[in-house]
Amino acid sequence: MNGNSTRPQANPPPSGIYVPVPTFFAQESHPSYNPTTPPLDLQTQSAHSLFLVRGGIKGLVLLGSTGEAIFTSDSERTELIASQRKTLDDAGYKDRPIIAGTATQRIDEAVEMIKQSKEAGAEFAMVLGPGYFAPSTGQTGIQKWFEAVADQAVLPVMIYHYPGVTNNLYIAPSTFEKLAAHPNIVGTKLSHGIIDDQTLIAASPKIDHSHFSVFTGLGQNLLPVLAIGGVAAIDGLAGIFPRLVVRLFNLFNESLEKGISKEDMRAMRDLQFRICEGEKLVARWGVVGVKEACARVWGMGGKGGGRLPLAGGFEEGEGEWKKWEGIFSGLRELEERFKAEGKEG
């Protein structure tokens, strides 16, 4: 299978809701501002990280797709990870892991990024599939590519399956069954809505699910994915309303423990509906929408997206936010109500 079959079995990240954190960049008032590559805004980054973990988020995914990993330099990656590890540790959240993303086609480069991420303070690596030659790439090639990375990686590896940013690269459930047997591959983030494939992975009797965790990358699928054996979500809307998504996760697990009642199911469906309403913005606008909402709802960061070509925010301008304003005002009220109840965080 691979050259590392005697390697000790690594453990997956702790179960819970994780956030693919946006990378915040400085605004025009910053003395070193550059319109094409604005510098990191670590003050806002840290404020956002603490906002999330105080809202019950189990850990942070830095430098994934939402984190604009492809627009950051190696030195910025190190600075970002190290700063957030220190922020969490200093605030008493040493138990909240950081998962660092990679987005490269080269095995050696992915391995080096993982090494740098560990040195900066990350505990896990989330590795995006190699999609440049996706139409010509067979399942055997995909399997061997991930195994080669995992063989050499100094952190436990999670497979990041996001066809939307990998030229529609397809990783079959049967390939996941093989990859899950690797001692250094500990889970996956599935950022697609193919529920039957998610079921064939999350419920597969051929996978040891104590060592391989399935996370949905779509909060709008959280309840169905939990029902089929998924662990939780790495979710964009949770970066804006952490308690909302954590509440659904907790309610499912608490009701499963005591026996799910009709009232529990109704409450879970209501929460999933509200999450789906908000996720429509994330699905449409991605990182641009997440940053816009963080700025407008909570005053964190600036409106207008990230680095080019994402700078500029909504193409339709102010009128676009008005389409979402009512939904997000309602979600903010719900988030603040959950905060007042004090069950998360």
Side-chain angles (χ1 to χ4, degrees):
M1 180 186 66
N2 57 74
N4 229 336
S5 57
T6 60
R7 184 171 183 161
Q9 176 71 59
N11 292 317
S15 174
I17 300 297
Y18 291 72
V19 169
V21 179
T23 299
F24 291 94
F25 299 110
Q27 301 301 298
E28 293 183 12
S29 58
H30 191 279
S32 302
Y33 180 77
N34 180 323
T36 57
T37 53
L40 298 175
D41 179 0
L42 296 180
Q43 183 176 355
T44 299
Q45 196 79 48
S46 293
H48 185 246
S49 294
L50 293 176
F51 166 75
L52 297 178
V53 295
R54 288 167 180 160
I57 294 302
K58 180 59 70 174
L60 308 179
V61 176
L62 299 179
L63 298 159
S65 301
T66 304
E68 299 180 60
I70 58 172
F71 300 148
T72 58
S73 67
D74 287 350
S75 61
E76 287 174 328
R77 286 176 57 87
T78 297
E79 185 180 14
L80 183 69
I81 295 169
S83 70
Q84 297 317 293
R85 182 69 272 162
K86 184 177 189 302
T87 292
L88 296 179
D89 291 353
D90 288 352
Y93 293 101
K94 293 183 179 182
D95 62 332
R96 308 299 169 99
I98 288 176
I99 304 171
T102 75
T104 179
Q105 311 291 306
R106 284 173 38 199
I107 291 168
D108 59 340
E109 189 172 35
V111 170
E112 179 59 27
M113 284 183 174
I114 293 169
K115 178 176 177 289
Q116 293 171 0
S117 297
K118 180 179 181 179
E119 291 170 351
E123 288 85 5
F124 298 89
M126 190 176 74
V127 179
L128 187 68
Y132 189 89
F133 291 110
S136 308
T137 305
Q139 294 300 305
T140 300
I142 294 170
Q143 177 190 339
K144 290 184 176 180
W145 189 92
F146 274 109
E147 286 177 347
V149 172
D151 281 347
Q152 302 172 63
V154 295
L155 289 175
V157 167
M158 297 181 66
I159 298 164
Y160 185 17
H161 186 19
Y162 188 3
V165 297
T166 53
N167 201 15
N168 288 318
L169 181 76
Y170 178 68
I171 308 176
S174 58
T175 302
F176 274 102
E177 289 178 347
K178 296 168 185 172
L179 289 171
H182 192 289
N184 200 39
I185 296 178
V186 297
T188 182
K189 176 188 179 186
L190 301 175
S191 292
H192 61 68
I194 312 171
I195 291 293
D196 53 339
D197 273 18
Q198 296 191 27
T199 303
L200 290 170
I201 301 166
S204 173
K206 296 180 180 179
I207 292 177
D208 180 354
H209 297 286
S210 67
H211 289 292
F212 185 88
S213 295
V214 175
F215 291 82
T216 178
L218 306 173
Q220 57 267 50
N221 287 350
L222 177 56
L223 183 55
V225 167
L226 289 173
I228 60 173
V231 166
I234 300 171
D235 174 54
L237 188 72
I240 311 162
F241 303 109
R243 288 176 173 81
L244 181 67
V245 183
V246 170
R247 178 64 64 96
L248 176 55
F249 171 80
N250 287 345
L251 182 55
F252 178 87
N253 285 286
E254 289 164 5
S255 1
L256 194 65
E257 185 71 24
K258 67 180 178 61
I260 298 176
S261 66
K262 289 183 179 180
E263 291 75 15
D264 292 334
M265 185 56 70
R266 188 178 301 112
M268 287 187 284
R269 286 172 178 164
D270 288 346
L271 277 171
Q272 184 67 84
F273 179 85
R274 299 297 297 273
I275 290 168
C276 285
E277 284 188 306
E279 294 282 4
K280 287 293 186 182
L281 173 71
V282 179
R284 169 64 183 88
W285 287 102
V287 59
V288 172
V290 171
K291 286 187 174 181
E292 190 86 19
C294 282
R296 289 182 180 269
V297 175
W298 304 115
M300 281 187 280
K303 296 173 285 186
R307 285 182 170 169
L308 288 172
L310 297 181
F314 292 146
E315 192 73 19
E316 290 82 353
E318 191 69 24
E320 178 67 13
W321 177 251
K322 292 188 180 301
K323 299 176 185 176
W324 306 96
E325 193 169 13
I327 290 173
F328 276 71
S329 293
L331 293 176
R332 173 173 177 156
E333 290 175 6
L334 195 56
E335 180 79 10
E336 290 178 329
R337 192 186 95 198
F338 290 163
K339 181 180 180 180
E341 292 174 3
K343 290 185 178 179
E344 285 82 37

